[in-house]
Amino acid sequence: MLYNAFSFDTHYYPNNSLLEELMNSGGLKNISNANLRKYLTAWDSRIQVIHRQENSLREQREKMLDIFRSDNASIKTILDLAGVSTNEMGIKSSSQNFSNLAILDSKEFENNLLLFILNGITTEQTHYKPLLQEIDIILQLIESEIR
């Protein structure tokens, strides 16, 4: 569970080259729908806000990982138990696993985990879900614009 929770980073990097070209060439003036122009001009700042939130989530994730970088924990045990050592890294699993149970009982771990979870919930609820709705609206507006 620890491997799955902390091994993957979250980031959204849309390809904005067409939008940037449209804005730099003055092509936005050719779009008749004012709402679509509004969404397109606000797109970059929206993505910057999301990147700041993702950076905050990444920092929380790093704080969690820092706990496992101490002498009181074993990342190798986590990788061994997840099958990553052998299957993905091609190294032998340890014959005896170090117990990470003491860390799971620590207040530092609990506090950082709760902050990481809350930050993840905020990222999803406050940023990603509204962004997905906004993308759907933009796509509908584009479709109505080209008809």
Side-chain angles (χ1 to χ4, degrees), residues 61-73 75:
R61 180 177 161 269
E62 285 299 318
K63 285 180 184 179
M64 290 300 303
L65 292 175
D66 283 345
I67 294 170
F68 289 95
R69 290 183 175 110
S70 72
D71 285 340
N72 300 324
I75 293 173

Side-chain angles (χ1 to χ4, degrees), residues 23-147:
M23 293 179 77
N24 290 336
S25 69
L28 279 180
K29 68 178 184 277
N30 297 325
I31 296 175
S32 62
N33 188 307
N35 279 336
L36 178 55
R37 278 195 315 272
K38 181 184 77 166
Y39 279 113
L40 293 177
T41 55
W43 179 258
D44 188 54
S45 62
R46 170 73 122 147
I47 297 302
Q48 287 177 19
V49 168
I50 289 172
H51 286 169
R52 283 192 296 275
Q53 180 64 27
E54 289 170 340
N55 287 337
S56 178
L57 184 59
R58 189 173 299 110
E59 288 171 13
Q60 289 299 322
R61 180 177 161 269
E62 285 299 318
K63 285 180 184 179
M64 290 300 303
L65 292 175
D66 283 345
I67 294 170
F68 289 95
R69 290 183 175 110
S70 72
D71 285 340
N72 300 324
S74 172
I75 293 173
K76 178 80 164 75
T77 296
I78 295 169
L79 296 175
D80 287 351
L81 294 175
V84 174
S85 296
T86 306
N87 299 336
E88 294 180 32
M89 298 175 75
I91 57 176
K92 286 181 78 170
S93 292
S94 300
S95 58
Q96 283 191 328
N97 288 325
F98 181 91
S99 175
N100 287 314
L101 290 177
I103 285 184
L104 299 178
D105 286 334
S106 77
K107 278 293 178 203
E108 179 184 15
F109 178 81
E110 179 183 328
N111 291 338
N112 282 310
L113 180 62
L114 291 173
L115 288 171
F116 177 73
I117 290 169
L118 286 172
N119 209 323
I121 290 169
T122 299
T123 302
E124 178 186 18
Q125 299 295 323
T126 308
H127 298 282
Y128 287 155
K129 283 186 175 182
L131 177 65
L132 183 59
Q133 292 172 344
E134 188 172 311
I135 289 170
D136 286 338
I137 291 169
I138 290 170
L139 289 173
Q140 289 170 1
L141 292 171
I142 289 171
E143 192 171 310
S144 67
E145 180 75 14
I146 58 176
R147 283 188 184 164

